[in-house]
Amino acid sequence: MPLAARALRHAVALTTTALLATALGCAPQPEENAADTPPGSAGNNCAKGELATETSGKLTIATDEPAYEPWFKDDEPANGKGFESAVAYAVAKQLGYDKSAVVWQSMPFNKAFAPGEKTFDFDINQVSISDERKKAVDFSSGYYDVRQAVVALKDSKAAKAKSVADLKGLKLGAQVGTTSLAYIDDVVKPTQEAAAYAKNDQAKSALKNGQVDAIVVDLPTAFYITAAEVTDATIVGQFENQGGDAEQFGLVLDKGSALTACVTDAVDTLREDGTLAELEQQWLQDAVDAPVLK
């Protein structure tokens, strides 16, 4: 090959290599890496007590009103008593906020995960993590694995149910927007339309008044209802997990919140160091078992 042609080809090769290097350097991250990045984590600062919270130097936590046992105690989220109150303060501590820096806010259950900007830093209110809800809000990792249960009056026909099939002909009720109501519609598929209530209190009243044959709630709530609120009621049984994965409660955050990664890290730390297990034993120890409805 003539020297001139060889020199020209060498120059072209060098130019092509440089252009390829530039193009690769500007290429987007591989999709699998991007998927591993938690929402709001880009450039996120998790320095303790210095998060970009709703109110500088404060951590605003929301929950519903009334705040039910065993998740809260005496309808007072700020007292640190009850499983979710205790978890909220444990997360706050991990984030660098002591009890005096925590501000509680009332937020109806359905509004916590509805689309739109939030006025809280995170919400804790027995909200199950789901793909549908993730379209509107962020979730932390799960802080509690939960199952749904059926509660009926002891002397009722519903109390004798042994399987999901036995529930199909009954009038069932649950709080609107909950996984409990979804289990009625999607798992039981009753012949009568389920009754949906704005609050669990209304569902319990309907049960006591005979307006429904049974109600569906999460298992710890079922234990509390039958032990302290509707003492002539019994836990008929609990449902199996659907789809293989355990249903989990997660902390709710604004969609794309800069706090999501930090809050998730806090929850993960509490799970790994045994704190969540200790709090579960302390506040939910009686809610351990019930017959499984298959």
Side-chain angles (χ1 to χ4, degrees):
M1 179 183 295
L3 288 176
R6 186 179 299 168
L8 179 60
R9 177 168 291 187
H10 181 65
V12 169
L14 287 175
T15 301
T16 302
T17 301
L19 288 172
L20 284 172
T22 301
L24 289 172
C26 296
Q29 291 290 322
E31 193 168 324
E32 61 269 23
N33 291 342
D36 292 339
T37 304
S41 64
N44 195 41
N45 176 21
C46 291
K48 290 198 171 184
E50 298 179 9
L51 304 182
T53 54
E54 286 289 323
T55 302
S56 180
K58 300 288 185 180
L59 189 67
T60 303
I61 305 175
T63 196
D64 203 354
E65 185 179 5
Y68 299 109
E69 299 193 26
W71 311 106
F72 299 90
K73 190 77 172 174
D74 302 323
D75 191 19
E76 182 49 67
N79 63 17
K81 299 177 180 179
F83 180 70
E84 288 193 330
S85 180
V87 168
Y89 281 116
V91 171
K93 185 177 179 181
Q94 282 293 320
L95 296 174
Y97 296 89
D98 61 24
K99 196 169 183 178
S100 65
V102 173
V103 178
W104 285 92
Q105 179 185 106
S106 175
M107 178 62 59
F109 179 82
N110 277 343
K111 287 189 176 181
F113 51 86
E117 189 174 352
K118 307 306 177 191
T119 56
F120 52 75
D121 294 312
F122 68 77
D123 176 276
I124 183 167
N125 189 26
Q126 306 114 65
V127 181
S128 296
I129 301 169
S130 73
D131 290 338
E132 183 64 28
R133 289 171 179 172
K134 283 181 180 179
K135 295 175 183 177
V137 295
D138 283 354
F139 280 96
S140 71
S141 52
Y143 63 86
Y144 181 68
D145 297 355
V146 68
R147 284 192 175 190
Q148 300 299 316
V150 179
V151 175
L153 298 181
K154 292 176 181 177
D155 60 357
S156 69
K157 176 184 175 182
K160 299 178 177 64
K162 302 296 182 185
S163 67
V164 172
D166 292 339
L167 302 172
K168 287 187 180 295
L170 303 177
K171 181 67 175 180
L172 304 174
Q175 184 177 356
V176 68
T178 60
T179 308
S180 305
L181 186 59
Y183 264 73
I184 295 175
D185 293 335
D186 300 337
V187 178
V188 179
K189 299 178 181 177
T191 56
Q192 303 180 60
E193 184 178 358
Y197 300 97
K199 301 278 187 180
N200 262 340
D201 278 347
Q202 295 171 354
K204 288 180 287 187
S205 294
L207 178 65
K208 288 190 287 187
N209 296 334
Q211 295 168 301
V212 292
D213 297 311
I215 60 174
V216 178
V217 294
D218 61 76
L219 187 57
T221 297
F223 273 95
Y224 182 75
I225 288 173
T226 55
E229 296 183 314
V230 188
T231 53
D232 58 343
T234 185
I235 298 174
V236 178
Q238 61 178 313
F239 293 104
E240 292 183 299
N241 288 323
Q242 302 300 303
D245 294 329
E247 179 184 349
Q248 291 186 316
F249 291 158
L251 306 178
V252 181
L253 299 96
D254 205 356
K255 187 67 177 174
S257 171
L259 304 182
T260 301
C262 301
V263 172
T264 291
D265 286 347
V267 172
D268 289 345
T269 297
L270 295 174
R271 184 178 288 277
E272 290 163 7
D273 70 11
T275 299
L276 290 180
E278 290 174 7
L279 294 177
E280 185 176 332
Q281 178 66 23
Q282 180 180 358
W283 297 107
L284 304 178
Q285 61 180 334
D286 294 330
V288 291
D289 198 19
V292 176
L293 300 166
K294 296 184 178 180

